[in-house]
Amino acid sequence: MTSPDDPSGDRRDWSVIVESGVAKTNRPVSSAVAGREAATRRHEPHEPARENLPQKLYEPRRQVHNKRVDGPFRRFKWLMMLVTLSIYYVTPWLRWDRGPYAPDQAVLVDLANRRFYMFGMEIWPHEFYFVAGLLIMAGIGLFLITSAVGRAWCGYACPQTVWTDLFQHVDRFIDGDRNARMRLDAAPWTWGKVARRGIKWTIYLIIGFWTGGAWIMYFADAPTLVHDFWRGEAAPVAYITVAVLTMTTVVLGGFMREQVCIYMCPWPRIQTAMLDEKSLLVTYKDWRGEPRGSVKKAQKNPGQFGDCIDCQQCVQVCPTGIDIREGPQVGCITCALCIDACDRVMKDIGRPRGLIDYATLEDCEREAAGGEPKSPWRTLFRPRTIAYFMIWGGIGGALLFALGVRSHTQLTVAPDRNPPFMLLSDGSIRNSYTLKLRNMESRPRDMEIAIEGVPDAAMWTDTIAYRDAAAVQTVTVPADLVRQVRAYVAAPAGTVPQTLTFRVTSLDQQRETDAVETRFDAPETE
């Protein structure tokens, strides 16, 4: 280790400067970080020592107690919470009549039978491209929302936001509003505080339990699963899933809250690629609000203070505890509650609303220069958002088209490879095949199997005797299932190798058909 005073060295001091997170020395040491505001005592030898530095290298979490507020954005959050929670908790109980051979749960992920039911749509494993298309639409829809109105998804419809909002309302119901909760946190542990905490955490557990319980109902018939669950007859995975989701819901929504949005979620970091100077964001108009001063100061000194009276209402209502007046931040989820709080204050002191408002960077520059901002609708309908919407709509249209034209009758054919053919006693040549007939209707269907391409060929199966062999046979396929048929095809002596076509046709009003070409093997002729 070389000393900074050693001319033969590189003037670096690698001595330990921290211990258990606390700075031990202020001696000059080398660092790649040279800014005075850097949270370290490292600096280049030619720089002055940094004096104004917190002793801790990290900041502990500050509990966020957001204040109750009313306004159009808060009411919209109420509406979104009601809609999203209703969809989540009620959907497994909705019924959908698919006939006597299919489940009647409207939305069901049937892992045992590898089916996904969503109202009138049924997705089979080989049709997973429908699920992939829906996921792609969800991703593009998120890009569309972010490019248009910032993190509006995070502010209103994200599950973390919805459940956090729900838990915060529980806090207000049990402990009171912001000031009461702060006093209770600072108070010593008394029996009254223990009782309040016990009641509140019990409600947390109930919410978490119903959240986990609702989730497993998407994977089995809801009434049957609830009956088996409370009788202790459900599968062990059901109890494990409910326990895990209960704890994660309570921990993430009840205790971690804004830490998930700020530190754990990757979307705040990704969203910067989706935003530009034309995106609507919750913005503090500093050219109008600064310098800050109380109403009394503004009255005594006209023209010296801006509209912001530094009442801290925008900070107190924020669910993540940030100060929007410091500019765009990773902690802002664009819930716009600060707009409701600020507008109410501006109304009370007789100043125009919009000190904090949805605005684009372009509009901010225009308004700061004395111009008029554009209409929000003109801001939303711009080339970038229109392009996202067209891509999103195009994928949705393609999925609907594919869903509308898909056939509910499908056939796969696998010829035997060992041996490829057999010579029968009468000189005829026999090939064996495994057929899989897929009936995607919720009712049994008779299907006609025909062979084409090999002259005078006849077919029989394990359930159809050789004496009844013919070029066309009929089998019944159960509802919503794949039936495997072992088929044998015999051709007269002298038949050469050639292409054989299996064609299946449903014998109902739909008359759906599917055909598969395969090979009919025979001895090679010289």
Side-chain angles (χ1 to χ4, degrees), residues 91-95 104-106 108 216-218 220-231:
T91 297
W93 298 94
L94 300 178
R95 302 292 102 181
D104 64 348
Q105 187 162 311
L108 176 65
I216 64 173
M217 294 179 195
Y218 285 90
D221 181 67
T224 303
L225 180 58
V226 170
H227 177 269
D228 293 344
F229 188 92
W230 289 110
R231 289 173 60 91

Side-chain angles (χ1 to χ4, degrees), residues 8 15 18 40 47 128 163 279 288 302 339 353 355 364 373 407 440 479 482 506 510:
S8 63
S15 60
V18 292
T40 176
E47 296 177 340
F128 191 78
W163 265 269
S279 299
R288 174 184 157 186
I339 299 179
R353 69 160 303 277
L355 177 60
C364 288
S407 174
M440 298 171 63
V482 176
S506 62
Q510 293 171 284

